Amino acid sequence: MLIPSIRRRRHAALPLAVLAMMAASAPARAGQSTGTIDLELNVLNACTVNGAATVQADVGSTGKILFTDQPGTFTSTDALLVGTAGNLSILCSPGASPVLTVGAGAHDNAGSRYLLSGSTTVAYRLFSDSARTNEITIGKQIALGTASAAAISVPIYARATNSSGGILPAGKYTDTVQIVLSW
């Protein structure tokens, strides 16, 4: 007969021995399975105007065409759009095909553009070239080509003409032309 303390030791050692045998008989990992994780990011074409950090639905004023002061007897005067970056500057996603539509002014009449002071008008025209031969008519779309990583410079030239042939009243003559950039 075993002494009770030895019997207790044997009973205590028995579960440890069973665990050791089970661990030794566990199957080895002989295979593996592989899989994938799919990721997706859709980047849409975008354009910014005059160095903006983000795309804006309404970019506000993109610049000004400021004619130099003229006497009331002037015949014509020329000016150029000046924006925050000089010419109008458009930066689009490479590969995009931006189009700039130059719309109506606030004082257009019968397909012509006019500056207004009080009730007096002065006709003006917009052009895409410095020689002022390629007119930007109301609603004209200007294709800006295929964008690259560089900004597209869009110069806009203007010519105001005193078509009345007479003397104009002194005043500040203004107009605001709408533009739409699409891509």
Side-chain angles (χ1 to χ4, degrees), residues 50-51 62-65 80-89 152-156:
N50 288 343
T62 58
K64 290 185 176 190
I65 297 175
L80 169 68
L81 171 71
V82 178
T84 57
N87 292 333
L88 181 60
S89 177
I152 301 165
S153 178
V154 184
I156 296 179

Side-chain angles (χ1 to χ4, degrees), residues 97-170:
S97 299
V99 173
L100 181 68
T101 302
V102 181
H107 310 298
D108 295 350
N109 187 9
S112 295
R113 301 178 189 277
Y114 292 94
L115 300 161
L116 179 68
S117 178
S119 61
T120 306
T121 59
V122 172
Y124 74 94
R125 295 168 43 192
L126 300 176
F127 301 90
S128 60
D129 65 319
S130 61
R132 290 167 176 79
T133 56
N134 296 316
E135 186 173 359
I136 303 171
T137 55
I138 298 168
K140 180 164 185 171
Q141 293 185 333
I142 303 169
L144 302 178
T146 302
S148 66
I152 301 165
S153 178
V154 184
I156 296 179
Y157 302 89
R159 176 169 288 153
T161 307
N162 179 357
S163 55
S164 73
I167 190 163
L168 292 168

